[in-house]
Amino acid sequence: GGETLIRRWPEIKRGVITAMALVLSVYAIMTWRQVHTWENATSLFTHALQVASDHPLLYNNLGAALEREGKIREAVYYYEKALQLTPDDFDAHYNLGLTLMKLGRLDEAVLHSLEALKLQPDHPYAHYNTGFAMTQKGSLGEAEKHYREALRLLPDFSDAHIKLAAVLNRQGKIEDAIRHYTEALRID
């Protein structure tokens, strides 16, 4: 019993230490592999999609991560994939609209920006971005409407005041343009 245990203690102790070292080594290898998987947002969401490939939020988040890395065309693919899974996903429409604007695909950008606004009509930044796309397309009346709505929702949105002022100036509405430039200066 106890006497045998005491005599064998050095031997048992070496076995326990060896087993603990082995367990710690396995955990260290697993940790190294997991850290590699999570080294950045792109690798994290790519790995997550391997586990849960039917989750639209993961596709949207991977698109956003790729966009931050400057991989705009790849981002479009993942936003579109998110929308295939959930066609009424505000974030995917919003993000896709912005990304398509960066690519100069304005008609598609407007389509997704307007779809985002159908889902969240009181989103000031969605109105702002739609106004920006409309300005790029030369649809100044529509741009004005969206910038004004962005400002109704968020009155101290100085960038919207500046963009609206530029549109008003192009339309020859000089006094109104000056008022919005002045308001932007007051805010900033």
Side-chain angles (χ1 to χ4, degrees):
E3 201 175 291
T4 305
L5 184 61
I6 291 173
R7 258 184 312 162
R8 293 191 61 212
W9 178 244
E11 207 176 291
I12 293 170
K13 186 176 166 184
R14 273 192 305 271
V16 168
I17 290 172
T18 302
M20 288 176 65
L22 180 62
V23 167
L24 287 175
S25 296
V26 168
Y27 279 131
I29 291 169
M30 289 171 56
T31 300
W32 178 83
R33 288 183 71 199
Q34 201 61 38
V35 165
H36 178 70
T37 298
W38 293 346
E39 88 185 25
N40 60 42
T42 302
S43 61
L44 173 64
F45 291 121
T46 300
H47 176 73
L49 279 170
Q50 291 169 351
V51 176
S53 64
D54 62 343
H55 202 294
L57 180 62
L58 295 175
Y59 285 100
N60 187 57
N61 289 348
L62 179 54
L66 288 165
E67 190 169 351
R68 280 191 300 276
E69 293 176 3
K71 299 175 181 174
I72 307 299
R73 283 178 172 65
E74 289 178 56
V76 168
Y77 169 81
Y78 288 99
Y79 294 140
E80 288 174 341
K81 187 70 175 168
L83 288 171
Q84 287 172 5
L85 295 170
T86 310
D88 61 348
D89 183 333
F90 168 82
D91 291 322
H93 280 292
Y94 180 84
N95 291 336
L96 182 55
L98 287 173
T99 305
L100 291 168
M101 267 191 269
K102 290 177 184 175
L103 292 172
R105 293 164 55 183
L106 297 176
D107 290 333
E108 295 170 89
V110 167
L111 177 79
H112 287 286
S113 294
L114 291 173
E115 193 61 36
L117 283 170
K118 284 181 191 173
L119 298 166
Q120 287 190 27
D122 291 336
H123 196 285
Y125 297 101
H127 280 286
Y128 175 82
N129 293 328
T130 304
F132 185 79
M134 293 293 191
T135 302
Q136 298 300 101
K137 285 182 52 140
S139 302
L140 300 182
E142 283 296 306
E144 178 184 350
K145 179 180 94 173
H146 286 286
Y147 288 135
R148 287 191 187 280
E149 184 62 12
L151 289 168
R152 184 188 70 77
L153 296 165
L154 191 61
D156 286 342
F157 189 175
S158 64
D159 286 346
H161 280 288
I162 291 168
K163 296 292 187 191
L164 175 58
V167 165
L168 293 168
N169 187 44
R170 286 176 61 186
Q171 293 174 318
K173 301 175 183 177
I174 306 302
E175 286 182 31
D176 204 10
I178 291 170
R179 189 173 61 77
H180 283 284
Y181 278 130
T182 303
E183 186 62 15
L185 288 171
R186 183 196 65 76
I187 293 166
D188 286 339

